[in-house]
């Protein structure tokens, strides 16, 4: 009985030591907390429905893709903690303008219209637009054939801008590239226009049983990391980090992981 009580007491003491962190240890912990709260946080905006650049893993817990690996490496290089926020594509630049984001990485094409509102890093990926149609579609072979057709695009993208230039086209602007593919499969549109790697990834992961991509490339576009104009210093930091990642082989490693080949120089 006495022995049992003693053991109990020992246990209670051990537990209380754990909770209080053994006196001396607690100072250590406070220091850690302080460090965590002063660690610089990089507020990153993306629209995570754009594989292989940004998407959520099966549990919806982690952000994955080429852009996600790249921006984590950039943040690490800049000594920031990466905080990734998933936002509608057409809400990304407004969120940056209202001061809620430091950078955007979202397969975002560098163009003059956007340059009025944000700064862009050096280009980090070369892309362009292609058309996706159902396998049995016979009459759409080039961009010109979209005349008079119903075409789905993601709202706020270069696809939306380019397709609107085609005469007599009926454009359906949807929230995500995933929605554009769904609309095509459901028969709501005759074609979809998206960035080539995104179209190719969709066809590869779904087995190409229902839809196929056409070869023609409508545009040549460069992706850049958008940086708030409120922080011109950060533009230099991001470019320096990108340069470093090119030099130390990290960029190539990430490129190979997602595209399975050597980065185009
Ligand atoms: N590259 C195109 C653009 O800049 C499409 C980007 C869409 N990105 C995304 N994560 N949904 O307009």
């Amino acid at each position: 009985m006495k022995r049992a009580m003693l053991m109990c007491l020992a246990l209670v003491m051990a537990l209380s030591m754990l909770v209080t962190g053994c006196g001396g240890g607690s100072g250590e912990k406070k220091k850690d907390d302080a460090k965590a709260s002063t660690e610089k946080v990089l507020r990153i905006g993306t629209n995570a429905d754009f594989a292989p650049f940004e998407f959520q893993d099966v549990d919806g817990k982690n952000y994955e893709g080429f852009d996600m690996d790249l921006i984590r490496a950039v943040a690490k290089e800049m000594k920031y903690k990466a905080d990734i926020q998933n936002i509608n594509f057409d809400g990304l630049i407004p969120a940056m303008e209202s001061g809620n984001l430091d950078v955007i990485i979202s397969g975002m094409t560098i163009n003059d219209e956007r340059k009025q509102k944000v700064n862009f890093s050096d280009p980090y990926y070369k892309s362009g637009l292609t058309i996706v149609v159902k396998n049995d579609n016979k009459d759409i072979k080039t961009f010109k054939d979209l005349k008079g057709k119903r075409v789905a695009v993601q709202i706020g993208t270069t696809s939306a801008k380019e397709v609107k230039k085609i005469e007599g086209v009926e454009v359906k602007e949807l929230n995500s590239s995933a929605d554009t593919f769904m609309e095509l499969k459901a028969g709501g549109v005759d074609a979809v226009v998206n960035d080539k790697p995104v179209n190719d990834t969709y066809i590869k992961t779904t087995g190409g049983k229902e839809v196929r991509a056409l070869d023609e490339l409508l545009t040549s576009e460069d992706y850049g990391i958008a940086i708030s104009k409120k922080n011109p210093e950060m533009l230099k930091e991001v470019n320096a980090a990108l340069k470093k990642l090119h030099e130390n082989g990290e960029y190539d490693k990430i490129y190979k992981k997602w595209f399975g080949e050597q980065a185009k120089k």
Side-chain angles (χ1 to χ4, degrees):
M1 188 61 194
K2 205 168 163 197
R3 209 185 133 101
M5 265 176 69
L6 268 177
M7 271 177 69
C8 230
L9 196 71
L11 198 73
V12 168
M13 275 172 66
L15 273 175
S16 68
M17 267 162 76
L18 265 181
V19 171
T20 59
C22 295
S26 62
E28 200 65 21
K29 188 162 181 299
K30 272 215 191 82
K31 238 197 296 175
D32 261 10
D33 285 348
K35 202 171 124 205
S37 62
T38 55
E39 191 175 11
K40 297 181 290 180
V41 174
L42 190 66
R43 297 165 307 161
I44 303 157
T46 194
N47 176 232
D49 205 342
F50 205 63
F53 297 99
E54 44 266 336
F55 57 98
Q56 283 173 283
D57 66 1
V58 273
D59 314 323
K61 283 198 194 106
N62 296 311
Y63 295 112
E64 288 191 39
F66 176 77
D67 283 355
M68 300 294 95
D69 284 351
L70 185 64
I71 201 67
R72 284 191 193 106
V74 165
K76 196 168 161 204
E77 206 49 63
M78 289 165 61
K79 304 203 166 50
Y80 277 78
K81 184 174 175 286
D83 172 30
I84 296 170
Q85 301 175 27
N86 188 11
I87 300 175
N88 271 353
F89 189 73
D90 62 340
L92 285 167
I93 290 181
M96 175 164 280
E97 286 185 296
S98 54
N100 294 321
L101 293 175
D102 301 310
V103 299
I104 297 167
I105 189 159
S106 198
M108 186 175 274
T109 302
I110 302 172
N111 66 24
D112 288 341
E113 197 183 323
R114 291 173 180 158
K115 274 194 206 158
Q116 311 280 313
K117 299 170 181 165
V118 299
N119 287 329
F120 276 107
S121 72
D122 294 334
Y124 69 85
Y125 184 89
K126 244 194 191 344
S127 193
L129 308 176
T130 58
I131 303 173
V132 175
V133 293
K134 279 199 177 164
N135 281 338
D136 58 6
N137 183 301
K138 298 267 168 339
D139 49 330
I140 301 175
K141 294 188 186 71
T142 72
F143 273 90
K144 288 197 194 75
D145 301 330
L146 294 179
K147 190 172 170 181
K149 296 278 192 279
R150 302 165 304 162
V151 184
V153 293
Q154 183 180 18
I155 192 163
T157 59
T158 47
S159 293
K161 202 172 148 195
E162 291 302 324
V163 171
K164 281 181 195 165
K165 289 182 189 163
I166 301 166
E167 206 191 309
V169 74
E170 190 188 312
V171 188
K172 265 201 190 176
E173 293 181 87
L174 305 175
N175 256 326
S176 68
S177 59
D179 287 349
T180 65
F181 295 125
M182 260 168 30
E183 192 67 11
L184 178 65
K185 289 211 284 183
V189 288
D190 308 299
V192 153
V193 175
N194 272 308
D195 297 36
K196 176 176 163 55
V198 173
N199 285 336
D200 292 347
T201 299
Y202 176 78
I203 289 162
K204 211 166 129 196
T205 50
T206 53
K209 281 186 220 74
E210 288 179 75
V211 301
R212 63 192 164 87
L214 303 184
D215 290 335
E216 189 191 6
L217 204 58
L218 179 63
T219 54
S220 169
E221 307 184 9
D222 279 319
Y223 292 170
I225 300 171
I227 300 134
S228 171
K229 279 199 192 277
K230 295 186 170 70
N231 194 346
E233 274 308 304
M234 190 171 272
L235 174 61
K236 290 182 207 146
E237 283 181 76
V238 169
N239 278 336
L242 277 176
K243 187 160 175 264
K244 183 81 183 287
L245 298 173
H246 275 289
E247 281 164 7
N248 68 14
E250 190 65 24
Y251 177 93
D252 283 339
K253 227 163 88 189
I254 298 171
Y255 193 99
K256 222 166 161 205
K257 172 177 167 191
W258 291 103
F259 301 107
E261 48 176 311
Q262 219 55 47
K264 293 172 212 115
K265 290 271 150 60

